[in-house]
Amino acid sequence: MAAQQSSIPIAPPPWKCHYSGYVGSFYVSPKSGLPQDLAYDPVEASSDRFTEAGVWKGGMAMIQLLRYTSTPVGPYDEMILLPGNFDVPKGQGVHTRITRIYVSQRDTTYN
């Protein structure tokens, strides 16, 4: 059986990109609780490794909306969700974590 050719262009790193964007920052109280269905994909949240990834602590959260006008795979839009701070496993402190990224073009996810 012959290998099927993909229509997705190969774009090895590093990428040189031009973009514009918006960043929305807001505080989330640890007492409010993290809406799991908002911050995580259900497949990720049901994984055994999910509990090893650190406990959510609240704090400064962020949503980033980016419009890439020039990239090796063409223009696309991106939304990034950082729901606040998490304990880092093995006592390495507390850090912000990206929990979801959405892009508008399939080609960006394969590169």
Side-chain angles (χ1 to χ4, degrees):
M1 181 178 220
Q4 188 177 17
Q5 291 288 352
S6 173
S7 63
I8 299 170
I10 302 297
W15 285 14
K16 290 187 178 181
C17 303
H18 297 280
Y19 68 93
S20 60
Y22 296 94
V23 176
S25 299
F26 50 95
Y27 180 80
V28 182
S29 169
K31 294 177 183 178
S32 69
L34 178 64
Q36 298 295 324
D37 58 339
L38 171 68
Y40 295 101
D41 185 271
V43 172
E44 181 183 16
S46 66
S47 166
D48 292 339
R49 296 193 55 97
F50 182 75
T51 55
E52 299 172 19
V55 177
W56 179 75
K57 296 294 187 181
M60 190 59 66
M62 186 181 307
I63 294 177
Q64 298 178 0
L65 302 172
L66 306 170
R67 172 154 288 165
Y68 291 91
T69 54
S70 174
T71 78
V73 294
Y76 69 95
D77 298 323
E78 182 175 61
M79 183 181 90
I80 301 172
L81 175 63
L82 299 94
N85 295 316
F86 290 79
D87 276 336
V88 178
K90 301 179 183 172
Q92 298 176 13
V94 176
H95 296 282
T96 303
R97 178 179 301 156
I98 295 172
T99 59
R100 287 198 182 219
I101 299 176
Y102 296 97
V103 294
S104 63
Q105 295 295 334
R106 171 184 68 162
D107 299 356
T108 64
T109 62
Y110 291 113
N111 278 284

